Amino acid sequence: MSADVTASGVRYHTWCRENREVILEINGSRLLPMPREDGGIHTAFDTQGRAGDTYKFRLECGESFPDPEARSQAGTVHEASLVVDPTTFNWNDGAWKRPAFRDLVIYEMHVGTFTQEGTFRAAITKLPHLRALGVNALEIMPVADFPGARNWGYDGVLIYAPARVYGSPDDLRALVDAAHASGIAVILDVVYNHLGPSGNYLARFSRDFFTDRHYTPWGQAFNFDGANSRSVRDFFVRNPIYWMEEFHIDGFRFDATHAILDDSKPHIFEEFTETIHALGGYAIAEDSENEARMLRAVSDGGYGFDAVWADDFHHTVRVSQTAEKSSYFQDFHGTTEEVVETLQHGWFYRGQQSARRKRKRGTECDRLPPQQFVHCISNHDQAGNRAFGERLSATVSPAGYRALSAMICLTPFTPMLFMGQEWDASTPFQFFTDHEPELGALITAGRRKEFADFPEFSDERALEKIPDPQAEETFLRSKLDWSELSSEPHAQMFALYRECLAQRRERGLFRPPARDGWRVELAEFGVGIILFEGQEANHLLLFDLSGGHRGALKTRGGERWELLLSSNEIRFGGDGRASFDLDTQHCEFSEPEVLLLRATDLKS
């Protein structure tokens, strides 16, 4: 790292290839020259140095900048960096063992809105809730330090420094340590495709950090494949090592992998995944292309990710309830046939023509195990990228929400929940930032421009109703209201999630390691069926996402079935109406519903 505490002082270094001279500014007054070494590395050793010192690098241009590899900031991302000794934290997780990936139930959360306090330490108080829910992996939205006091995290500019607004580096360590004590792995969302628009000083240290050969939706791409790219690759590949070694992070979710561009071999993805796996961690990609190569082992010509966000499931089941046709939803119809096909494969688009993209999308994935597909019915994008940040439960019927909730917990794929969905939180999750006024005005205007083509925002007055990302109340409005858990119908929804995840945890057949042992079919009377076969009794998951289907239940083995669970039970907030007749083995759905059945014996 750039500033390492030793027994005799602090050792500093930075990569600043275009500069002949760099001056180290310590505590705003002391100056140390940093001679240039081979490869553009500048080093210095401060015999008076200690943890808690502040420092900046003064470059030949005469300006001083924070450390791109800072472990922490003393102030904002524009101010001095802070010397941190990572060895003084007292870890208690020596016996910790990461769960097998196929056993994960992931819970995505944003530190700033997860609690009223919005800190790492405050998040620790909610770990008993996650444990009771049945979650064993906490996925934290990006914490790389960002400008201002609030942000989703995708405007981060210091990828080694936990955001100071959430607490100190040791506060993050305390959260990870407590999570491990609760049996919960910690996955960190990392952004290696771009930096935010304010406080991004990498190019001041070296123009080689960026390239004109590639572009992303956010501007210039990082130089992973051009001249002097080795140092750039090292800067990023060291980052997950840092999080794993100094913070005991268990795995990573890579943001927008389609925008991490590299024409060289080996691809930067291979370096990332092999590095993470060598330390025993997980690697998950956000891939919108449905590219099977992301999931194949490096030895098999792939990139080696353990899983991808497979959003086709979210899109098709959401359309089944809302009939939306804007943006990427125009590629989906939400029919039972489409949902069944998505569940048979993991994602829906496997080479078919996409109307929205006007090209073919996706690859075949039949041989990939189900755990490699992360499915959700909500995440930060699917709520926050709506104009008002409303959650799924605000736009669908209670019965439909219960049905989708049961499905996400009990299908064979890796489930991911977004904070608050387990109790049908009424609070929205809106898009918020805290940039300086000039940039903030552009963010506000840009946010409204995003929705200008939507019919419901066809006039200026409607556009003005979209929450201002820069307004503090937009952020405050997005904080979870934990008091809801003690009232109905929120407690009933929590009971549904808790029961479904208990079923998943207690029965290994819901977590199959491969493509055998389960199958997805369309029943003769129009509902979807997932049959789970194993050494224990076979189980059957029936789903009708529209209601109105009826018919006799017939399976290949001729089993008789008993009801274990209905998403419309009174204890979950439903009307308790029986949709399955034990005597006749007949189903009659009056509204969206999921049934979980267990085989008792064969028909005589």
Side-chain angles (χ1 to χ4, degrees):
M1 296 291 291
S2 292
D4 287 319
V5 177
T6 74
S8 53
V10 178
R11 179 182 295 108
Y12 294 91
H13 83 265
T14 189
W15 184 54
C16 198
R17 199 175 65 82
E18 286 92 359
N19 282 248
R20 294 185 302 275
E21 295 182 359
V22 175
I23 302 295
L24 179 65
E25 299 177 356
I26 304 170
N27 294 331
S29 59
R30 286 197 297 119
L31 304 178
L32 281 180
M34 300 184 72
R36 177 186 170 115
E37 299 178 358
D38 291 343
I41 299 294
H42 296 255
T43 64
F45 191 87
D46 179 17
T47 57
Q48 303 175 46
R50 56 184 176 80
D53 286 348
T54 65
Y55 67 101
K56 297 182 84 172
F57 296 122
R58 185 190 299 173
L59 307 186
E60 286 182 338
C61 64
E63 294 183 80
S64 299
F65 299 98
D67 180 2
E69 280 188 301
R71 284 186 170 95
S72 186
Q73 285 297 101
T76 72
V77 295
H78 307 288
E79 297 176 84
S81 301
L82 189 68
V83 175
V84 174
D85 185 352
T87 66
T88 59
F89 183 81
N90 183 28
W91 288 97
N92 298 290
D93 65 349
W96 166 249
K97 292 184 179 179
R98 295 175 180 123
F101 198 92
R102 64 178 282 244
D103 295 334
L104 292 189
V105 176
I106 302 173
Y107 187 96
E108 185 190 25
M109 72 88 152
H110 176 269
V111 177
T113 53
F114 187 51
T115 63
Q116 287 300 308
E117 300 88 343
T119 64
F120 296 129
R121 293 278 180 179
I124 294 173
T125 66
K126 304 305 181 185
L127 293 175
H129 166 82
L130 299 185
R131 186 178 177 90
L133 172 60
V135 163
N136 62 359
L138 177 63
E139 182 174 307
I140 303 175
M141 287 173 63
V143 301
D145 212 351
F146 49 76
R150 54 192 177 270
N151 199 283
W152 276 14
Y154 300 98
D155 285 334
V157 291
L158 293 171
I159 68 171
Y160 286 83
R164 72 219 171 276
V165 297
Y166 301 149
S168 70
D170 276 358
D171 290 338
L172 176 55
R173 291 184 180 95
L175 171 57
V176 176
D177 200 41
H180 288 171
S182 299
I184 298 173
V186 179
I187 297 169
L188 187 61
D189 194 339
V190 289
V191 184
Y192 299 146
N193 53 71
H194 77 288
L195 295 182
S198 176
N200 172 10
Y201 298 119
L202 276 184
R204 298 297 190 98
F205 285 80
S206 177
R207 293 188 297 272
D208 289 327
F209 271 109
F210 298 94
T211 178
D212 292 330
R213 299 178 64 243
H214 305 294
Y215 286 90
T216 76
W218 307 279
Q220 275 187 305
F222 289 119
N223 174 29
F224 292 131
D225 56 7
N228 301 307
S229 61
R230 182 67 263 169
S231 293
V232 181
R233 293 168 77 98
D234 288 345
F235 176 81
F236 286 95
V237 173
R238 283 199 310 270
N239 190 244
I241 300 174
Y242 160 77
W243 291 115
M244 296 184 78
E245 291 185 344
E246 296 196 7
F247 292 85
H248 295 197
I249 295 295
D250 298 289
F252 303 89
R253 178 263 191 189
F254 286 68
D255 177 64
T257 49
H258 65 273
I260 300 176
L261 306 170
D262 180 10
D263 292 334
S264 66
K265 294 182 180 180
H267 196 286
I268 190 69
F269 290 157
E270 298 175 44
E271 290 197 43
F272 277 129
T273 59
E274 289 189 318
T275 296
I276 292 167
H277 291 155
L279 295 174
Y282 318 123
I284 302 170
E286 183 196 19
D287 171 53
S288 62
E289 297 299 314
N290 292 5
E291 177 52 65
R293 184 178 182 182
M294 300 292 289
L295 298 169
R296 290 199 300 269
V298 171
S299 59
D300 192 30
Y303 292 141
F305 285 95
D306 295 286
V308 298
W309 276 23
D311 285 349
D312 284 7
F313 175 77
H314 167 272
H315 299 342
T316 185
V317 298
R318 186 178 191 113
V319 172
S320 78
Q321 303 302 300
T322 65
E324 293 176 70
K325 283 298 178 184
S326 60
S327 188
Y328 37 70
F329 293 121
Q330 65 186 273
D331 276 344
F332 295 88
H333 303 286
T335 63
T336 303
E337 291 83 357
E338 186 177 80
V339 175
V340 164
E341 187 173 347
T342 302
L343 290 170
Q344 286 172 335
H345 299 275
W347 52 52
F348 180 75
Y349 277 90
R350 306 175 314 284
Q352 303 98 308
Q353 185 76 12
S354 161
R356 176 174 179 257
R357 303 187 185 207
K358 297 180 173 55
R359 61 175 172 82
K360 293 182 178 180
R361 171 176 173 248
T363 57
E364 290 295 343
C365 55
D366 290 352
R367 296 184 180 180
L368 298 172
Q371 67 193 46
Q372 292 197 290
F373 301 83
V374 176
H375 282 184
C376 72
I377 61 170
S378 183
N379 61 38
H380 72 272
D381 277 330
Q382 305 308 337
N385 283 336
R386 301 177 71 81
F388 297 100
E390 67 270 28
R391 292 170 177 266
L392 175 66
S393 55
T395 61
V396 305
S397 70
Y401 188 68
R402 289 192 300 270
L404 298 189
S405 296
M407 282 186 71
I408 197 61
C409 296
L410 292 170
T411 57
F413 307 93
T414 298
M416 186 179 75
L417 316 182
F418 181 58
M419 61 177 196
Q421 79 174 67
E422 72 274 19
W423 77 74
D424 182 12
S426 66
T427 49
F429 185 71
Q430 298 179 336
F431 180 64
F432 46 82
T433 56
D434 183 28
H435 291 296
E436 54 267 27
E438 185 176 348
L439 176 58
L442 295 175
I443 297 293
T444 298
R447 178 69 172 171
R448 289 174 176 168
K449 184 178 180 181
E450 286 180 35
F451 298 98
D453 292 334
F454 287 62
E456 60 268 39
F457 299 109
S458 57
D459 65 78
E460 192 65 29
R461 287 175 298 177
L463 281 174
E464 290 177 356
K465 294 179 181 179
I466 297 174
D468 181 358
Q470 286 285 105
E472 185 180 20
E473 57 263 32
T474 303
F475 168 65
L476 296 176
R477 198 182 296 123
S478 300
K479 286 180 177 282
L480 289 177
D481 179 3
W482 286 86
S483 68
E484 292 181 333
L485 262 171
S486 60
S487 63
E488 306 298 355
H490 305 289
Q492 293 169 315
M493 183 60 67
F494 180 73
L496 172 63
Y497 273 92
R498 186 172 180 173
E499 175 62 26
C500 290
L501 289 177
Q503 294 281 347
R504 183 183 189 90
R505 180 175 63 253
E506 294 165 7
R507 293 180 168 84
L509 50 73
F510 293 128
R511 298 174 275 110
R515 287 284 176 168
D516 52 357
W518 59 283
R519 62 177 183 268
V520 187
E521 299 176 350
L522 185 66
E524 291 181 0
F525 59 101
V527 302
I529 294 177
I530 306 179
L531 175 63
F532 297 94
E533 301 171 307
Q535 294 180 345
E536 51 190 305
N538 290 349
H539 286 66
L540 200 64
L541 192 75
L542 274 71
F543 57 92
D544 184 350
L545 299 185
S546 60
H549 293 90
R550 63 186 66 183
L553 185 58
K554 299 176 183 178
T555 56
R556 298 175 188 176
E559 299 96 333
R560 287 190 61 82
W561 302 92
E562 62 178 346
L563 180 65
L564 288 183
L565 181 150
S566 163
S567 61
N568 283 344
E569 292 179 42
I570 293 175
R571 60 176 172 151
F572 303 141
D575 58 15
R577 191 181 311 167
S579 299
F580 177 71
D581 188 293
L582 179 63
D583 295 327
T584 65
Q585 301 281 287
H586 189 273
C587 299
E588 186 168 342
F589 295 95
S590 59
E591 58 185 340
E593 186 175 4
V594 164
L595 301 176
L596 179 61
L597 309 176
R598 178 173 59 195
T600 55
D601 54 30
L602 297 179
K603 291 182 178 179
S604 57

